[in-house]
Structures are given as structure tokens and as C-alpha cells.
Amino acid sequence: KAAGGRELKLMLPMVTEVNEVRQARAIIDREVRHLSRFAYTLPTQLKLGAMVEVPALLWQLDELMTMVDFVSVGSNDLFQFLMAVDRGNSLISGRFDQLSPAFLRVLRQIIDAGKRHDRQVTLCGEMAGRPLTAMALIGLGFRSISMPASSIGPVKAMLDTLDAGKLHAILNEELDKPNTAHSLRDVVMKFAEDNAIPL
């Protein structure tokens, strides 16, 4: 709840299809009209966002971007659902890598959709809190990522020496070519070593 006169952002979790966003916006608009009728102080601006964490939404990104003001990628759930890996099961949790070409292409697809529709795309999840994977996210084009307070120092140290444009070009080249690699982790690690980026 935001005090009157401030911007209010609402985030819809676990969106599976864009019609859910349409229905949620209708409910919110109805409530705003109701509160206005009874002279409640309302936020000056209300922005609606959606979490991208259910794979079905990947085939609805353009429609989604026209219906929301911003999106946030829930990288933990999206990775788990997309790769059919149970992060809580130690027998298979390490089977897949978040820096796999397949997952990085999905993240790039979301960023590109945001650019096409001039929508901010942010990311939350474990990826953002580790310097190596955070570096890959910045290289892909993310400019807003959330992480635990304990991760801010190491990630900031990485960012202070990162040439994001240079990494962006390298990642795009890798993702644009046929790639059967299990992961681009070695590519990102080599970039960090070659450019003296602390991890």
C-alpha cells in the first residue's frame, strides 16, 4: 500500500496467459474507481507489472508487453520449469547450468521483447547475486537486477571493471551460432580472466 501522492507498483506473480493480466487490470481499475468515489487519497500513478516465470508466457511476450508497464524475470522458477530440474533435489539440481545457451537465449528473448515495446525488464533470483552470472545478465542487456544485501559488494566490484558492450557482443555471437555446449560458463569465465574482472 502506498501513501497518496506516490507512485504505486503492483506485480502479478505466476502469470500463465495474458488474459490473467487483463482480468487483474479490470479488477484494479474497478477498485480505483470505487476508492475515488469515496474520496480516498490515491497514488499519483499506478503501474502494473508481471513476473515472467512460467514458460507458457514466452510465446505471449509481445501481447504481454502491451498490457503491462514493466516485467520482472523470476529466474529461479523460470529456469526450474523450463529445464524440468528440481533445485531441491540434490541428485539432479546440478544437472543443468543457468549459463546454458538455451536459458540465456530465453533471457535474451525477454529483453528483446521489452526493447520492442519500451518496457523495463528486471530480474530477480539467485543468478543476480553471484558475480559471474550477474556479469552474464548485464552482458545480455539487463540493467536492473535484485539480490541479497550480502551480494552487493562483490557484484559492484565486478561491475566497476566490466565493459558491458564488449561482453554483449561476445555473448550474442555465441548465442547466434549453433551451439551444443552444456554451458557458456567457460566463455564468461575467460572473459573475466582476460579483462581482470574480480569474481
Side-chain angles (χ1 to χ4, degrees), residues 143-165:
R143 292 299 176 264
S144 179
I145 54 179
S146 63
M147 67 196 72
S150 60
S151 298
I152 293 174
V155 171
K156 183 177 180 182
M158 174 274 294
L159 288 172
D160 284 342
T161 54
L162 175 63
D163 183 337

Side-chain angles (χ1 to χ4, degrees), residues 3 5 19 32 62-63 65 70 82 85 101 105 122 148 161 165 180 189:
N19 191 50
V32 167
D62 286 310
E63 297 96 324
M65 296 295 179
F70 62 96
L82 191 71
V85 57
R105 284 176 182 140
T122 66
T161 54
T180 57
M189 282 287 294

